[in-house]
Amino acid sequence: MRSFSARRGTCGPALRHLPTPNYKSHRAPRSRAIRQSKMADAAAGPGGSGTRPGSKQSTNPADNYHLARRRTLQVVVSSLLTEAGFESAEKASVETLTEMLQSYISEIGRSAKSYCEHTARTQPTLSDIVVTLVEMGFNVDTLPAYAKRSQRMVITAPPVTNQPVTPKALTAGQNRPHPPHIPSHFPEFPDPHTYIKTPTYREPVSDYQVLREKAASQRRDVERALTRFMAKTGETQSLFKDDVSTFPLIAARPFTIPYLTALLPSELEIQQMEETDSSEQDEQTDTENIALHISTVGSPFLLLHSTPETAYPTLGPCPCELNCP
Amino acid sequence: MPPTGIETSRMNRKKGDKGFESPRPYKLTHQVVCINNINFQRKSVVGFVELTIFPTVANLNRIKLNSKQCRIYRVRINDLEAAFIYNDPTLEVCHSESKQRNLNYFSNAYAAAVSAVDPDAGNGELCIKVPSELWKHVDGKTPELKVLKIHINFSLDQPKGGLHFVVPSVEGSMAERGAHVFSCGYQNSTRFWFPCVDSYSELCTWKLEFTVDAAMVAVSNGDLVETVYTHDMRKKTFHYMLTIPTAASNISLAIGPFEILVDPYMHEVTHFCLPQLLPLLKHTTSYLHEVFEFYEEILTCRYPYSCFKTVFIDEAYVEVAAYASMSIFSTNLLHSAMIIDETPLTRRCLAQSLAQQFFGCFISRMSWSDEWVLKGISGYIYGLWMKKTFGVNEYRHWIKEELDKIVAYELKTGGVLLHPIFGGGKEKDNPASHLHFSIKHPHTLSWEYYTMFQCKAHLVMRLIENRISMEFMLQVFNKLLSLASTASSQKFQSHMWSQMLVSTYGFLKSISNVSGKDIQPLIKQWVDQSGVVKFYGSFAFNRKRNVLELEIKQDYTSPGTQKYVGPLKVTVQELDGSFNHTLQIEENSLKHDIPCHSKSRRNKKKKIPLMNGEEVDMDLSAMDADSPLLWIRIDPDMSVLRKVEFEQADFMWQYELRYERDVVAQQESILALEKFPTPASRLALTDILEQEQCFYRVRMAACFCLAKIANSMVSTWTGPPAMKSLFTRMFCCKTCPNIVKTNNFMSFQSYFLQKTMPVAMALLRDVHNLCPKEVLTFILDLIKYNDNRKNKFSDNYYRAEMIDALANSVTPAVSVNNEVRTLDNLNPDVRLILEEITRFLNMEKLLPSYRHTITVSCLRAIRVLQKNGHVPSDSSLFKSYAEYGHFVDIRIAALEAVVDYTRVDRSYEELQWLLNMIQTDPVPYVRHKILNMLTKNPPFTKNMESPLCNEALVDQLWKLMNSGTAHDWRLRCGAVDLYFTLFGLSRPSCLPLPELGLVLNLKEKKAVLNPTIIPETGAGTQESASNAGCHAQLAGFQNPFSSSQDEEEVDMDTVHDSQAFISHHLNMLERPSTPGLSKYRPSSSRSSLMPQHSLGCDIIPPTKPQWSMELSRKGIGKEQPLEMGVHSMVAAPLSVFAKESTSSRHSEHHHHHHHEHKKKKKKHKHKHKHKHKHDSKDKDKEPFAFSSPASGRSVRSPSLSD
């Protein structure tokens, strides 16, 4: 928003100068006339950012805005043409020139922004514009003289006819005023309710019964949904031959090590246990530490094992070697 | 050094003999067990044992040892090769051609078979001939009694009993997979995994070596001396030394990738568990040191072993198994701190095993008939621990429970005899003729009987304590222990070691020495005699004389009862206090006059003194105005093993419930109040329920009683359903009474009550005999609002009980014309229940509960819904949960449902499925349990007509107990129990009448066609599936005529004889090349065997007489070629001959002559001529003959192998 407005703001001085890119028009008679005007040889790109004006009237404020801008530029082009001595122009030529003007101005804005950001600033200064213009091959020195030419035409501000046509259904609060860098003719801020955040708090439910009810049904719903899902996605068993979906039982699947799931508390339970008795946990770890301390003392099961060098004498030949086929 | 002073006489033990006389002509002093290779993949074990023995006779030429399943490669005595034979009559109790199908016959044969290898009678499966060099001496010299070292190389392949391999089928190395192996068995079962003298009375010191994968730990008895890596550093050898003389039966082993925890309180104690379970192990064993302290303190004796190890393993045979200095527990006993219900149970298991360390492992027994002393003492001191740990209430409750159990069992089956005395060996004076099994041996005992036996043993110990006081009792124990520990330290005086054996006589002598009291009548009544006492009591109050006229009758004619004569305590609570009276129960006196102390005076307000000195106010308005009696109790201390049925008025029971402080009395009155559904009973029960000082188990019992009373008074019941308002008051929110408080189980008493009350409430029924809607909604709300987030403990048991409550609320469906149960006609209440069950069961898959308690309850509830006709009856769901790979509790619950389904739906298919599982399931406990459940809930009984009862089933079950369960005593006895339940003692009625002629005819044609084989073939195939491994090779060559026989034959051979095994394989391999030949091999095929002989492979036909080989080696060389010729001819049909010959000789021995055997003997006479000759020669020579002449299947003769 800021860079856009900045670009807009710096457009002023160049507005009356019509640089024309080297544009080959198939409309021959008018292109000759155009070439008579001062032409800048530095060509901007074909101004892709411009919005094509729609032929049909759009109610969209953004489209309206584009249309207005376009119209202003057309006025500028027309007045420049008049200044240059044209009495009439084909619509297509005017359109083309408008397009070129728009591209040129956009390019100035874009480059100026780049220069300004290159120097770690957010707002372009005059020198940014100057460097831009120089870079684009424009002789800056000629600009003051051109600006002070006698026969120049003054263009009025764009009409504010394209104000949002839809009547405000709801006006809530004061609209925020424009910050200083935005010209006052620019559209107003939207209604505050569209962007102002109001944190809201639900009325806390304090009724015990409702809470319990809620917790119970919530858990039940989750469990039901989960088990149903599991049943739907996996193998099931049924108690009724004719109906497999009303009471689907997740099929029994044997475990490879059944005692682990049966004996070890589930993660949920572990978590719960940690929550409920953190105080006793401390006590327990204390005793565990003692246990660890003691356990290192001389249990034969925890001693280092002898290596074969100190091997125990014995063990005759394995009968397996003797007798097994 | 002749170490023993024991005379070398044969076993001749009488009751009253003081010393221990070994039934063996030698004394074992030391044994080395070395297992140097354990293959988890193949489930095989290779190793050797070395027994050091001192002969006690001059010419010790035979040594009998116990060995089952092991394949024995060679036996050397003092480095000399020794010949041996192997004969195990228990492999197949009755031989297959016998058409006998009555259980009487089987039980006798089985007892005889067990006797024939009983180490306590000096017998064994393995008979080793001592090389003559070691006992024959040059004339003139007296033979020296010198040490013999018997070195036996053996291996074990796919053991079906004794050692249990657990190998989960996941990726990774064996250690990563958590594979482990452990020894297990019922009573003396060590012979299943290494050759030994498998007797509790033959003690010796031990050296145990186990070479295992470096990632594994081997845990065994005694001290771990050293752990040595093998040279390739891939394996480790664990060396254990057990210097305290110990019986082989108390030797154990557990190998696995265990996590090790040294007890933080006692470093001599080490705990082992499977990977990932260490946190649970820490918590579970954190209590053990207190048990240690307790026992050491009361016995004033240190724990006898220098270390103690607990190992927690999966697929346990029993929950607790105690061995010398080591106990093996089920891993399912482990629990975290969040679990309430399992904690006391696990602690009890720990305490039980520790008690058995003192009595059972350290102190062993002289003979089977002394077992009761060990079980009694260990059970008794365990009871003392219970009393100290859980309090007197819990202890008395437990005693009452055990008493009720034993009384119920004895009345049902006809008695449990603690100290059987067997005179003369005559079957006629069998002390347990009412039973369908012999009680002569532990291995013939029904498991249930044995459980009850242990229960009775500790109750009798308590009776002795009552008589001689606890102080004396503990002194006796201390005396036994100090004698034993003195003896155990006598390292080189093995004759002293018999002091470590306890006998009934020695125990009683100690008692009389210590206490100076004569307890003989007590022993005679409860130990030497079976049965319990049944009292019927009633009374009348004689106001004029102010006397209580008590009448006590006895029933001593029903089975399982006995007459009681002696003192009996009666406690009378009167208005003035409680008074004890000791009545003398005599032959003819039924009536007893008891003078009363107080006059009736209901109007005086005065506190009433109770037995314990407490004085209470009572509302006496309910009682009889004329009588001062509040309540009467007969035998309040349970000092007789009895059942009392006592009649007194309802208000007396109510007073007893409210004011008697003994929990046993409270429970008895609760039971009695069931018969008095009155508002007064209701009030008494409700008051008890609310009373927080009251013992929680009494309160729980009151819940169920209240439900019963409410149902009886349903038409007059006022107010909300019983217990509802009580529950609401105790456990629900004050502001919203329909919502239960968030769980807080800090108070265990209210936790148990909270669990139980809804279960009892669900039993309430309205006038239509339906569960009131209000109750169902209430339970559903409890489930809905259950919130455990703030709880320190897991609520899995609570939730499981809520499902049980839902199941309890189910009533039979109203069925219209037996319509098929579909979803559309589902009762809306049942729909709600089913919704909950479905959700719970599915949630279990995602968040499993501890021990899957919720799944277990859900499965039970589904079966209840099926049985009540709400859901179509179907077993497939249960069958899928019963598969191997589910947690064992789930499997048992599912199997229970299948068993029930089998009974209700009379499904032959399900019965077959169950029977198949009995034979093939990898977990011994599950197999045992299926049999057990089938016996408890049989598909039919002997007096019932059932389509399931047919000849094939009889044959199948017969085969199961006859040979299919030879590897597990417990399982075989379970099969016997089932057979008894289904068919009774005599020949099953569904069988055709046995016609001898027909049998004989069949026998003639047997090799070609025998219709009775067909069912057996089916069973044989199933069996082969379970055998996998070596048998798998055979499976492909199943011959329609001989397959089942061959299988059995191999089964027997592989177990003990590699040679016969190889020859058998060769035979089998040839089969395809000679199609159409069922039994008799043509001479062409015979030739293929011949080169084997010439190569020097000493393939000896199983039928080959063993001692004849010996003789031939000794120089009757001429016989050898002849032998070979006979052999190769015999080799082909060996299975037939082997079996027939053994069976005939077997039956000959056991005096069970059957006509069908006669002919066969004649038939094969010529083939066995030489054998008989040599046998008789041997018999002449030997000082004692084999009790069961072996058929000599297994021979290894050194001269031939060279």
Side-chain angles (χ1 to χ4, degrees), chain A residues 147-188:
Chain A
K148 287 175 190 153
R149 70 190 187 276
S150 54
Q151 71 277 33
R152 71 184 176 106
M153 299 172 78
V154 176
I155 300 156
T156 55
V160 276
T161 48
N162 57 347
Q163 281 295 315
V165 273
T166 44
K168 280 186 183 167
L170 178 84
T171 41
Q174 204 78 45
N175 277 7
R176 208 166 131 195
H178 276 167
H181 59 272
I182 299 180
S184 55
H185 59 265
F186 272 51
E188 285 188 336

Side-chain angles (χ1 to χ4, degrees), chain B residues 876-917:
Chain B
S876 56
L877 178 77
F878 303 119
K879 275 154 96 177
S880 71
Y881 277 98
E883 291 296 329
Y884 178 69
H886 286 284
F887 186 65
V888 65
D889 291 4
I890 299 181
R891 299 189 68 195
I892 299 297
L895 284 166
E896 198 173 6
V898 179
V899 167
D900 193 55
Y901 177 86
T902 309
R903 182 180 61 83
V904 174
D905 282 43
R906 300 190 168 187
S907 159
Y908 189 72
E909 190 197 327
E910 259 64 32
L911 186 59
Q912 284 302 319
W913 184 85
L914 286 168
L915 289 175
N916 182 44
M917 199 168 227

Side-chain angles (χ1 to χ4, degrees), chain A residues 127-138:
Chain A
S127 51
D128 289 331
I129 307 294
V130 173
V131 172
T132 301
L133 291 175
V134 170
E135 192 63 26
M136 288 172 79
F138 182 80

Side-chain angles (χ1 to χ4, degrees), chain B residues 333-350:
Chain B
L333 293 175
L334 294 174
H335 58 85
S336 70
M338 295 163 63
I339 307 300
I340 298 174
D341 299 51
E342 183 61 38
T343 309
L345 302 178
T346 300
R347 289 187 179 179
R348 285 168 71 159
C349 286
L350 289 173

Side-chain angles (χ1 to χ4, degrees), chain B residues 762-805:
Chain B
L763 293 167
L764 293 174
R765 297 291 179 261
D766 62 12
V767 279
H768 309 293
N769 207 21
L770 298 171
C771 183
K773 181 79 187 158
E774 198 180 347
V775 172
L776 182 63
T777 323
F778 168 74
I779 297 169
L780 287 171
D781 272 351
L782 287 183
I783 295 173
K784 183 178 167 191
Y785 293 116
N786 178 44
D787 185 345
N788 206 48
R789 283 174 298 181
K790 295 278 184 305
N791 199 1
K792 214 182 126 181
F793 299 101
S794 167
D795 66 342
N796 63 311
Y797 285 93
Y798 174 71
R799 283 187 290 156
E801 298 239 8
M802 290 304 118
I803 300 162
D804 292 346

Side-chain angles (χ1 to χ4, degrees), chain B residues 2 55 191 265 502 532 722 791 829 949 1026 1121:
Chain B
R191 63 182 94 170
Y265 302 93
V502 81
V532 292
N791 199 1
D829 286 351
C949 176
S1026 72

Side-chain angles (χ1 to χ4, degrees), chain B residues 1025-1043:
Chain B
S1026 72
N1027 292 350
C1030 57
H1031 292 229
Q1033 289 168 269
L1034 303 180
F1037 306 116
Q1038 296 250 337
N1039 183 304
F1041 298 105
S1042 60
S1043 62

Side-chain angles (χ1 to χ4, degrees), chain B residues 83 177 807 827:
Chain B
R177 287 155 75 168
N827 178 320

